[in-house]
Amino acid sequence: MATPHYYRVLRIFARNSLVREMQFRGNFLITVVSNALWFSAQLILFNIIYGNVKEINGWSRYEFFAFMATGMLINKLIESIFMPNCANFSELIRTGNLDFALLKPIDTQFLISFEKLDLARLTDLVFALSLLGYSLAQLDAFSRITVMQVVMYLLLIGLGVTFFYSLMITLASTSIWFGRNQGLYDFWFYVTIFARYPRSIYDGSSGFGLALQSVFSYLLPILLVVTVPAHVILDKTLNPSWLTAVMVLSTIVGLFVSRAVFHRALMSYRSASS
Protein backbone atom coordinates (compact mmCIF):
# COMPACT_ATOMS: atom_id res chain seq x y z
CA MET A 1 0.00 0.00 0.00
CA ALA A 2 1.39 3.40 -1.00
CA THR A 3 2.26 5.86 1.75
CA PRO A 4 -0.14 8.84 1.68
CA HIS A 5 1.28 12.24 0.79
CA TYR A 6 0.50 14.10 4.01
CA TYR A 7 1.26 17.57 2.68
CA ARG A 8 -1.12 17.02 -0.24
CA VAL A 9 -3.78 15.78 2.17
CA LEU A 10 -3.36 18.93 4.27
CA ARG A 11 -3.84 21.05 1.15
CA ILE A 12 -7.07 19.20 0.37
CA PHE A 13 -8.30 19.70 3.93
CA ALA A 14 -7.54 23.44 3.71
CA ARG A 15 -9.29 23.77 0.35
CA ASN A 16 -12.37 21.91 1.60
CA SER A 17 -12.49 24.14 4.68
CA LEU A 18 -12.34 27.24 2.50
CA VAL A 19 -15.21 25.94 0.36
CA ARG A 20 -17.30 25.30 3.49
CA GLU A 21 -16.58 28.77 4.85
CA MET A 22 -17.52 30.47 1.58
CA GLN A 23 -20.87 28.67 1.55
CA PHE A 24 -21.77 30.62 4.71
CA ARG A 25 -20.02 33.93 4.16
CA GLY A 26 -22.29 35.81 6.52
CA ASN A 27 -21.33 33.54 9.38
CA PHE A 28 -17.66 33.96 8.45
CA LEU A 29 -17.92 37.75 8.56
CA ILE A 30 -19.87 37.74 11.83
CA THR A 31 -17.20 35.54 13.44
CA VAL A 32 -14.40 37.82 12.22
CA VAL A 33 -16.19 40.95 13.48
CA SER A 34 -17.02 39.31 16.84
CA ASN A 35 -13.39 38.30 17.32
CA ALA A 36 -12.26 41.82 16.42
CA LEU A 37 -14.61 43.29 19.03
CA TRP A 38 -13.35 40.86 21.68
CA PHE A 39 -9.76 41.75 20.78
CA SER A 40 -10.56 45.46 21.07
CA ALA A 41 -12.30 44.95 24.42
CA GLN A 42 -9.21 43.20 25.78
CA LEU A 43 -6.96 46.03 24.67
CA ILE A 44 -9.26 48.65 26.19
CA LEU A 45 -9.43 46.76 29.49
CA PHE A 46 -5.66 46.49 29.92
CA ASN A 47 -5.13 50.05 28.72
CA ILE A 48 -7.41 51.15 31.54
CA ILE A 49 -5.48 49.01 34.02
CA TYR A 50 -2.11 50.33 32.87
CA GLY A 51 -3.50 53.83 32.99
CA ASN A 52 -3.47 53.43 36.78
CA VAL A 53 -0.30 51.38 37.31
CA LYS A 54 3.14 51.56 35.70
CA GLU A 55 3.73 47.82 35.67
CA ILE A 56 2.33 44.55 37.01
CA ASN A 57 4.97 42.37 38.66
CA GLY A 58 7.68 43.43 36.25
CA TRP A 59 5.52 43.65 33.12
CA SER A 60 5.08 47.10 31.60
CA ARG A 61 2.17 47.99 29.32
CA TYR A 62 3.80 47.04 26.01
CA GLU A 63 5.64 44.05 27.44
CA PHE A 64 2.30 42.69 28.57
CA PHE A 65 0.77 43.43 25.16
CA ALA A 66 3.61 41.44 23.54
CA PHE A 67 2.83 38.63 25.98
CA MET A 68 -0.88 38.86 25.13
CA ALA A 69 -0.08 38.73 21.40
CA THR A 70 2.06 35.64 21.95
CA GLY A 71 -0.80 33.96 23.80
CA MET A 72 -3.16 34.87 20.98
CA LEU A 73 -0.86 33.33 18.38
CA ILE A 74 -0.78 30.04 20.24
CA ASN A 75 -4.46 29.95 21.17
CA LYS A 76 -5.75 30.94 17.74
CA LEU A 77 -3.66 28.24 16.06
CA ILE A 78 -5.13 25.71 18.49
CA GLU A 79 -8.70 27.01 18.12
CA SER A 80 -8.61 27.17 14.32
CA ILE A 81 -6.78 23.92 13.55
CA PHE A 82 -7.35 21.41 16.34
CA MET A 83 -10.38 22.46 18.34
CA PRO A 84 -13.00 21.88 15.59
CA ASN A 85 -11.63 18.38 14.99
CA CYS A 86 -11.25 17.36 18.63
CA ALA A 87 -14.73 18.68 19.38
CA ASN A 88 -16.09 16.57 16.50
CA PHE A 89 -14.42 13.38 17.72
CA SER A 90 -17.24 12.40 20.08
CA GLU A 91 -19.74 12.95 17.24
CA LEU A 92 -17.76 10.56 15.02
CA ILE A 93 -18.02 7.95 17.77
CA ARG A 94 -21.72 8.52 18.37
CA THR A 95 -22.66 8.27 14.69
CA GLY A 96 -20.24 5.44 13.90
CA ASN A 97 -18.40 7.55 11.32
CA LEU A 98 -15.16 6.80 13.13
CA ASP A 99 -15.34 3.43 11.34
CA PHE A 100 -14.69 5.18 8.02
CA ALA A 101 -11.73 7.09 9.47
CA LEU A 102 -10.19 3.86 10.72
CA LEU A 103 -10.56 2.23 7.30
CA LYS A 104 -8.74 4.99 5.42
CA PRO A 105 -5.08 4.31 4.48
CA ILE A 106 -3.74 7.19 6.57
CA ASP A 107 -2.79 7.70 10.19
CA THR A 108 -6.06 7.99 12.14
CA GLN A 109 -4.79 10.61 14.59
CA PHE A 110 -3.60 12.76 11.70
CA LEU A 111 -6.97 12.48 10.00
CA ILE A 112 -8.91 13.23 13.19
CA SER A 113 -6.69 16.20 14.04
CA PHE A 114 -6.52 18.08 10.72
CA GLU A 115 -9.64 17.33 8.70
CA LYS A 116 -11.40 20.64 9.40
CA LEU A 117 -10.05 24.18 9.76
CA ASP A 118 -11.83 27.16 11.31
CA LEU A 119 -10.58 29.81 8.89
CA ALA A 120 -12.55 32.60 10.58
CA ARG A 121 -10.54 32.15 13.77
CA LEU A 122 -7.35 31.84 11.76
CA THR A 123 -7.79 35.46 10.65
CA ASP A 124 -7.22 36.48 14.29
CA LEU A 125 -3.53 35.83 13.67
CA VAL A 126 -3.48 39.16 11.85
CA PHE A 127 -4.61 40.93 15.04
CA ALA A 128 -2.05 39.04 17.13
CA LEU A 129 0.85 39.80 14.77
CA SER A 130 -0.19 43.45 14.52
CA LEU A 131 -0.29 43.78 18.30
CA LEU A 132 3.08 42.04 18.65
CA GLY A 133 4.70 44.29 16.04
CA TYR A 134 3.20 47.44 17.58
CA SER A 135 4.32 46.45 21.09
CA LEU A 136 7.87 45.67 20.01
CA ALA A 137 8.04 48.97 18.12
CA GLN A 138 6.90 50.88 21.22
CA LEU A 139 9.62 49.11 23.21
CA ASP A 140 12.18 49.94 20.50
CA ALA A 141 12.96 46.24 20.43
CA PHE A 142 13.42 45.76 16.69
CA SER A 143 16.89 47.25 16.81
CA ARG A 144 17.91 44.68 19.45
CA ILE A 145 16.15 41.51 18.29
CA THR A 146 18.49 38.95 16.72
CA VAL A 147 17.74 36.28 14.15
CA MET A 148 18.36 33.64 16.83
CA GLN A 149 15.71 35.24 19.05
CA VAL A 150 13.16 35.12 16.25
CA VAL A 151 13.99 31.49 15.47
CA MET A 152 13.77 30.53 19.14
CA TYR A 153 10.50 32.43 19.49
CA LEU A 154 8.92 30.61 16.54
CA LEU A 155 10.16 27.24 17.80
CA LEU A 156 8.71 27.93 21.24
CA ILE A 157 5.41 29.01 19.68
CA GLY A 158 5.37 25.65 17.90
CA LEU A 159 6.12 23.86 21.16
CA GLY A 160 3.30 25.75 22.88
CA VAL A 161 0.84 24.72 20.17
CA THR A 162 2.08 21.14 20.43
CA PHE A 163 1.68 21.09 24.21
CA PHE A 164 -1.90 22.38 24.07
CA TYR A 165 -2.71 19.99 21.22
CA SER A 166 -1.44 17.07 23.30
CA LEU A 167 -3.70 18.09 26.15
CA MET A 168 -6.69 18.54 23.85
CA ILE A 169 -6.33 15.27 21.93
CA THR A 170 -5.91 13.42 25.22
CA LEU A 171 -9.18 14.85 26.50
CA ALA A 172 -10.87 14.13 23.15
CA SER A 173 -9.72 10.49 23.28
CA THR A 174 -11.69 9.94 26.47
CA SER A 175 -14.87 10.24 24.39
CA ILE A 176 -14.44 6.58 23.49
CA TRP A 177 -14.74 5.62 27.18
CA PHE A 178 -17.15 8.31 28.41
CA GLY A 179 -19.35 8.84 25.35
CA ARG A 180 -19.68 12.57 25.90
CA ASN A 181 -16.85 14.62 27.38
CA GLN A 182 -18.21 18.16 27.41
CA GLY A 183 -17.19 18.48 31.04
CA LEU A 184 -13.63 17.65 30.12
CA TYR A 185 -13.60 20.37 27.47
CA ASP A 186 -14.86 22.79 30.10
CA PHE A 187 -11.96 21.62 32.25
CA TRP A 188 -9.59 22.43 29.37
CA PHE A 189 -10.89 25.99 29.13
CA TYR A 190 -10.85 26.56 32.88
CA VAL A 191 -7.28 25.31 33.23
CA THR A 192 -5.79 27.02 30.20
CA ILE A 193 -7.17 30.38 31.29
CA PHE A 194 -4.19 30.56 33.64
CA ALA A 195 -1.91 30.74 30.58
CA ARG A 196 -3.37 34.14 29.70
CA TYR A 197 -1.24 35.81 32.35
CA PRO A 198 2.52 35.81 32.99
CA ARG A 199 3.86 33.30 35.48
CA SER A 200 5.42 36.07 37.57
CA ILE A 201 2.05 37.53 38.59
CA TYR A 202 1.87 34.77 41.20
CA ASP A 203 5.18 35.82 42.77
CA GLY A 204 4.81 37.21 46.26
CA SER A 205 1.15 36.19 46.42
CA SER A 206 -0.54 34.04 49.04
CA GLY A 207 0.33 30.40 49.63
CA PHE A 208 -2.54 29.38 47.36
CA GLY A 209 -1.16 31.53 44.56
CA LEU A 210 2.31 30.04 44.92
CA ALA A 211 0.78 26.56 44.94
CA LEU A 212 -0.98 27.32 41.65
CA GLN A 213 2.28 28.63 40.22
CA SER A 214 4.10 25.42 41.17
CA VAL A 215 1.38 23.07 39.90
CA PHE A 216 0.99 24.89 36.57
CA SER A 217 4.74 25.25 36.11
CA TYR A 218 5.91 21.71 36.82
CA LEU A 219 3.03 19.21 36.99
CA LEU A 220 0.93 20.73 34.18
CA PRO A 221 3.17 23.54 32.88
CA ILE A 222 0.60 25.67 31.11
CA LEU A 223 2.06 28.82 32.69
CA LEU A 224 5.23 28.26 30.67
CA VAL A 225 3.55 27.87 27.28
CA VAL A 226 3.21 31.63 26.71
CA THR A 227 5.59 33.01 29.32
CA VAL A 228 8.74 31.34 27.93
CA PRO A 229 8.43 32.52 24.28
CA ALA A 230 7.36 36.00 25.47
CA HIS A 231 10.52 36.25 27.57
CA VAL A 232 12.60 35.24 24.56
CA ILE A 233 11.21 37.83 22.13
CA LEU A 234 11.36 40.55 24.79
CA ASP A 235 14.83 39.49 25.93
CA LYS A 236 13.62 39.38 29.53
CA THR A 237 15.43 37.29 32.10
CA LEU A 238 13.55 34.09 32.88
CA ASN A 239 13.78 33.08 36.51
CA PRO A 240 14.69 30.31 36.97
CA SER A 241 16.38 29.95 33.59
CA TRP A 242 15.80 26.19 33.34
CA LEU A 243 12.05 26.71 32.93
CA THR A 244 12.67 26.62 29.18
CA ALA A 245 13.99 23.08 29.52
CA VAL A 246 10.93 22.17 31.61
CA MET A 247 8.66 23.42 28.84
CA VAL A 248 10.53 21.53 26.10
CA LEU A 249 10.64 18.28 28.08
CA SER A 250 6.97 18.56 29.09
CA THR A 251 5.94 19.07 25.48
CA ILE A 252 7.86 16.02 24.29
CA VAL A 253 6.47 13.87 27.10
CA GLY A 254 2.95 15.22 26.54
CA LEU A 255 3.10 14.40 22.84
CA PHE A 256 4.12 10.79 23.48
CA VAL A 257 1.55 10.38 26.27
CA SER A 258 -1.25 11.78 24.13
CA ARG A 259 -0.29 9.45 21.29
CA ALA A 260 -0.35 6.48 23.65
CA VAL A 261 -3.72 7.49 25.13
CA PHE A 262 -5.20 7.95 21.65
CA HIS A 263 -4.15 4.48 20.52
CA ARG A 264 -5.22 2.91 23.80
CA ALA A 265 -8.64 4.52 23.36
CA LEU A 266 -8.93 3.19 19.80
CA MET A 267 -8.27 -0.30 21.11
CA SER A 268 -11.37 0.10 23.31
CA TYR A 269 -13.53 1.34 20.44
CA ARG A 270 -16.36 -0.87 19.28
CA SER A 271 -17.42 -0.09 15.73
CA ALA A 272 -20.98 0.78 14.80
CA SER A 273 -21.33 -2.60 13.09
CA SER A 274 -20.28 -4.61 16.16
Side-chain angles (χ1 to χ4, degrees):
M1 183 179 295
T3 302
H5 196 301
Y6 284 89
Y7 176 68
R8 185 179 301 168
V9 173
L10 283 175
R11 288 175 54 190
I12 294 173
F13 286 163
R15 184 180 62 195
N16 291 343
S17 297
L18 179 61
V19 171
R20 283 194 296 267
E21 291 287 359
M22 291 302 98
Q23 288 178 337
F24 305 96
R25 299 176 187 177
N27 181 71
F28 178 85
L29 292 175
I30 290 173
T31 302
V32 171
V33 171
S34 298
N35 292 340
L37 291 175
W38 172 249
F39 172 73
S40 301
Q42 290 287 96
L43 285 182
I44 292 171
L45 171 63
F46 285 105
N47 266 312
I48 293 173
I49 293 174
Y50 277 104
N52 295 280
V53 296
K54 185 176 181 180
E55 63 177 37
I56 302 176
N57 270 29
W59 290 83
S60 65
R61 182 196 302 259
Y62 295 109
E63 286 178 339
F64 182 81
F65 283 167
F67 173 90
M68 189 167 73
T70 301
M72 284 184 62
L73 286 173
I74 295 173
N75 281 306
K76 295 309 175 183
L77 286 171
I78 286 291
E79 292 175 5
S80 58
I81 300 174
F82 301 116
M83 187 173 290
N85 297 292
C86 290
N88 190 53
F89 190 47
S90 60
E91 187 67 14
L92 292 177
I93 298 168
R94 187 188 67 82
T95 59
N97 287 331
L98 182 58
D99 292 4
F100 299 104
L102 292 171
L103 291 173
K104 292 178 180 177
I106 194 170
D107 184 82
T108 304
Q109 186 174 343
F110 174 87
L111 182 63
I112 294 298
S113 301
F114 292 97
E115 186 174 8
K116 296 179 180 179
L117 298 176
D118 189 339
L119 297 180
R121 290 189 181 277
L122 201 59
T123 59
D124 286 353
L125 295 179
V126 176
F127 300 137
L129 291 172
S130 299
L131 179 60
L132 179 63
Y134 174 74
S135 301
L136 295 177
Q138 291 298 313
L139 294 167
D140 194 25
F142 285 114
S143 59
R144 304 189 301 270
I145 294 176
T146 64
V147 174
M148 182 57 66
Q149 275 181 271
V150 175
V151 172
M152 282 295 298
Y153 179 74
L154 294 177
L155 287 175
L156 290 168
I157 289 289
L159 285 174
V161 172
T162 302
F163 178 83
F164 275 151
Y165 163 72
S166 300
L167 178 59
M168 182 173 288
I169 195 66
T170 299
L171 294 176
S173 300
T174 61
S175 298
I176 291 179
W177 295 307
F178 300 149
R180 292 191 62 186
N181 60 356
Q182 185 60 45
L184 292 174
Y185 278 110
D186 292 339
F187 167 80
W188 188 87
F189 279 109
Y190 296 150
V191 169
T192 54
I193 197 172
F194 289 100
R196 296 182 183 180
Y197 308 102
R199 178 179 181 272
S200 61
I201 69 170
Y202 298 96
D203 291 341
S205 60
S206 64
F208 182 69
L210 292 175
L212 284 176
Q213 185 188 67
S214 298
V215 169
F216 292 131
S217 294
Y218 304 111
L219 295 181
L220 187 63
I222 58 175
L223 288 180
L224 307 182
V225 172
V226 183
T227 294
V228 172
H231 273 79
V232 168
I233 199 65
L234 293 171
D235 201 22
K236 288 173 66 73
T237 302
L238 186 63
N239 186 31
S241 59
W242 40 264
L243 287 175
T244 302
V246 173
M247 176 188 171
V248 174
L249 181 61
S250 300
T251 302
I252 295 172
V253 171
L255 191 60
F256 278 100
V257 169
S258 64
R259 180 76 169 175
V261 171
F262 183 82
H263 279 284
R264 181 65 184 85
L266 289 183
M267 290 174 61
S268 302
Y269 175 67
R270 298 294 178 265
S271 70
S273 60
S274 63

